[in-house]
Amino acid sequence: MKKRLLAMCLTLSLLVASLAGCGGGGDSSTSSGGTSSAAGDSSVSNGSAAEVDETQYPGLTDQEKEAVSLGLINLDGTMPIIPDPDAFEEKYGKISMFVHYTGSRTRGVTELEMVKQWEELTGVRFEWQDVPYDGVAEKINLTLSAGGDQLPDCFWNFVDGQSSNFVTQYADQGVFLPTEDIIDNYMPEYKALLESKPEYRKIATAPDGHIYGFPYIEEMTGMVLTPGPFEINTDWLEQVGLDMPTTVDEWVEVLKAFRDAGDLNGNGVEDEYPLAVQFGAHDTFGSNDLFYRFTACFGQADSYCGGNNYADHLYIDENGKVAFSATDEAFRKTAEFFNMLWNEGLIWNGSFEADTSLSFENSLLKQDVATVGTFSTWGGSASINNIDVRNQYEALPRLEGESGSTGFRLNYSELQDTSNTAITTNCEFPHVIGLMLEAINRDPKLAITSNWGSVGSVFVEEEDGFLLKPTDENGNTLPQGEFADGQNSARENTTPCRGSFIIKDSYYDMCTFDAPIIINGQITNGKEEIMEEYADSVMPKVMLSVEESSRISQIQPTISDIVDRYVVDWVLNGVTDESWESYQSELEGAGLADLLSVWQSAVDRYNAE
């Protein structure tokens, strides 16, 4: 109340002054699109900013200086950031925030439990611009292209994994505000994390030298750096009297034994398939298409990753140059190997289906009996619904081949989104947004629940503070409280999900996730050896310039399609000298040399930083 009275007793000159802050004036409307004082052309009151200690509060906008001097905001790290939201909004209006939502969310963003907790902690109440996920990329582009009054003060999130594309495309148009000074001067949690691994700040830095927005970092003890578990049905292994395979040849013998054994699942139906794959899959972490896991067995590891798909099939060779793995002789040998598996009747014939709803993960693994001998998905055996079927599977060890062993390192990073929450130059209170994110991320419990859903809906908090995800007898997560009936998503209906959160390795000791199933399977698959073996050959996750991104987006999808098309043809029909030459000719014609050249320039810049 004291702060509210202070705001109401402003001098007459302040009341009649022209205000260009977030909200654009003394009502609670959203931002009117005024130019940020960071750009140097905004003023308050009678033309001069309020006096503040620049050594304590560097880089503030004029509106922030005024609000600090009036006691309407705290920028020293104490909570709440906005002591009296009513007084703040009466003078400046609300900060506008763009956010998108999936069909799983059935309530407004201000009704979400975690949003209420953020408001209680920080006093920051956004004017949320809530947009459906369908068509959100087009909506974002239209908003950014329109600029001016159409811009929100901030974007909470973009299309997953693509924030860098948006910020680099529009940064040179004066749309986004650089945030490195906010991070370095006001956000010690973020600053420390960016400095904890040398690649983090480099990945988050745009080609012009600035950081735009704030990164999303999910450290998962390296979980997102290799594909999901490669699994085998050990009940079937026991039935055919074979041990766990350790070489590629032994694995093939197991597949043949599965093929010849008959009714391994005991349901009286011939519905067993030794191997299920999803050829041409571009799943986020490169798990469902086993083809690429085997190329290293023949001398050259491949790499693909839906989270960084413009870098598919790229690696750094022994000379430090960007190279294309899918033209190596190992790629041809892998195609010949899978053609042999197909001719032997070892591959499920649905493995070529492009419709993901019909993939083995969404069909065979959903049945109440085991129908697949070996497979790989991001979730591994957790992808199987029935607990009795799930318990039949274990991760395979790394299989040794003629010139190497299975597995590859993803061209990815635990800094998964460079600019997930990004501030526009319309915003007059950028430091408020930065400090709000800092407040969320310096509290491990708040960071976890902000990302995955609230206590009482997704998690149960035990006496020692441990956050437990309850599960049923099948190992499926059980929603809690009002979401216990399973009718609505507990996560999406309690948090806007992935903003610029920080999830550290250490957080996995204070809560349960699905992650241990994945990580333990990856370790059995040889994760630690793979990470060490490919440490120098992995492509860094580079933020591309507008020109680089534009050129690569024209070339790479065509090249990726050529690779996928030929792989399917070779698996079904075999590889000939003519088809191999035709493949390489098509890649050359599609601009492979140009693709490598553009990536080389980007990697050289990254290494020089």
Side-chain angles (χ1 to χ4, degrees), residues 91 220 233 268 273 279 297 399 477-478 484 569 579 595 601:
K91 181 167 180 58
M220 307 164 77
N233 190 306
Y273 306 98
F279 290 109
C297 297
L399 303 179
T477 301
L478 284 174
D569 179 65
S579 66
L595 178 76
S601 296

Side-chain angles (χ1 to χ4, degrees), residues 328-348:
D328 192 276
E329 190 66 21
F331 203 80
R332 174 173 179 166
K333 290 182 177 181
T334 307
E336 292 168 345
F337 172 72
F338 272 82
N339 175 245
M340 178 274 293
L341 297 179
W342 172 251
N343 289 336
E344 288 284 346
L346 304 177
I347 301 176
W348 176 52

Side-chain angles (χ1 to χ4, degrees), residues 25-331:
D27 58 22
S28 58
S29 62
T30 59
S31 174
S32 62
T35 305
S36 169
S37 64
D41 59 355
S42 179
S43 60
V44 299
S45 301
N46 55 3
S48 61
E51 292 292 331
V52 297
D53 184 350
E54 295 280 353
T55 61
Q56 183 180 5
Y57 299 112
L60 299 189
T61 67
D62 287 346
Q63 274 72 18
E64 287 175 324
K65 292 177 183 177
E66 179 186 65
V68 167
S69 68
L70 294 173
L72 294 178
I73 59 175
N74 292 322
L75 299 182
D76 59 0
T78 60
M79 293 293 115
I81 300 167
I82 300 179
D84 187 337
D86 290 336
F88 176 87
E89 292 166 18
E90 182 178 349
K91 181 167 180 58
Y92 299 111
K94 288 183 178 179
I95 300 171
S96 60
M97 180 71 76
F98 180 103
V99 65
H100 65 69
Y101 63 93
T102 67
S104 300
R105 174 145 69 83
T106 59
R107 57 183 60 180
V109 66
T110 57
E111 301 175 57
L112 305 182
E113 172 61 26
M114 298 315 302
V115 172
K116 294 177 182 178
Q117 290 188 29
W118 303 339
E119 291 177 356
E120 179 69 21
L121 172 66
T122 68
V124 181
R125 301 187 302 207
F126 294 117
E127 186 71 31
W128 294 92
Q129 299 178 6
D130 212 6
V131 176
Y133 185 78
D134 289 343
V136 68
E138 180 181 4
K139 173 67 174 177
I140 292 171
N141 275 313
L142 288 173
T143 301
L144 292 171
S145 296
D149 292 347
Q150 300 301 308
L151 288 176
D153 295 310
C154 189
F155 285 84
W156 179 257
N157 50 17
F158 296 88
V159 183
D160 284 350
Q162 298 183 33
S163 62
S164 62
N165 296 342
F166 288 106
V167 298
T168 54
Q169 181 179 352
Y170 291 96
D172 62 351
Q173 300 177 32
V175 170
F176 291 107
L177 194 71
T179 54
E180 62 269 13
D181 289 341
I182 298 176
I183 293 171
D184 290 341
N185 295 321
Y186 293 87
M187 303 174 71
E189 190 75 24
Y190 263 91
K191 181 181 179 182
L193 194 71
L194 286 179
E195 294 173 351
S196 66
K197 293 184 180 179
E199 69 268 24
Y200 280 171
R201 188 174 284 267
K202 292 170 69 173
I203 291 171
T205 301
D208 65 3
H210 290 299
I211 295 174
Y212 292 99
F214 308 95
Y216 170 81
I217 299 175
E218 190 175 343
E219 293 187 329
M220 307 164 77
T221 62
M223 188 172 80
V224 298
L225 303 181
T226 60
F230 183 16
E231 306 265 0
I232 189 167
N233 190 306
T234 54
D235 278 14
W236 290 12
L237 263 181
E238 184 176 353
Q239 289 187 59
V240 299
L242 294 174
D243 295 328
M244 181 71 77
T246 59
T247 69
V248 172
D249 288 343
E250 290 174 356
W251 179 70
V252 173
E253 290 308 307
V254 168
L255 297 184
K256 291 178 179 178
F258 288 168
R259 177 197 62 192
D260 299 336
D263 190 16
L264 287 168
N265 61 25
N267 68 347
V269 180
E270 293 185 11
D271 58 355
E272 290 86 359
Y273 306 98
L275 172 63
V277 186
Q278 190 183 353
F279 290 109
H282 290 275
D283 47 296
T284 302
F285 300 112
S287 306
N288 291 30
D289 190 343
L290 276 169
F291 184 98
Y292 304 107
R293 198 184 292 252
F294 278 83
T295 62
C297 297
F298 301 97
Q300 176 58 59
D302 203 345
S303 184
Y304 86 105
C305 174
N308 189 20
N309 59 1
Y310 282 172
D312 281 356
H313 313 300
L314 299 178
Y315 70 101
I316 305 298
D317 67 16
E318 62 275 10
N319 298 313
K321 299 300 183 182
V322 178
F324 191 71
S325 54
T327 52
D328 192 276
E329 190 66 21
F331 203 80

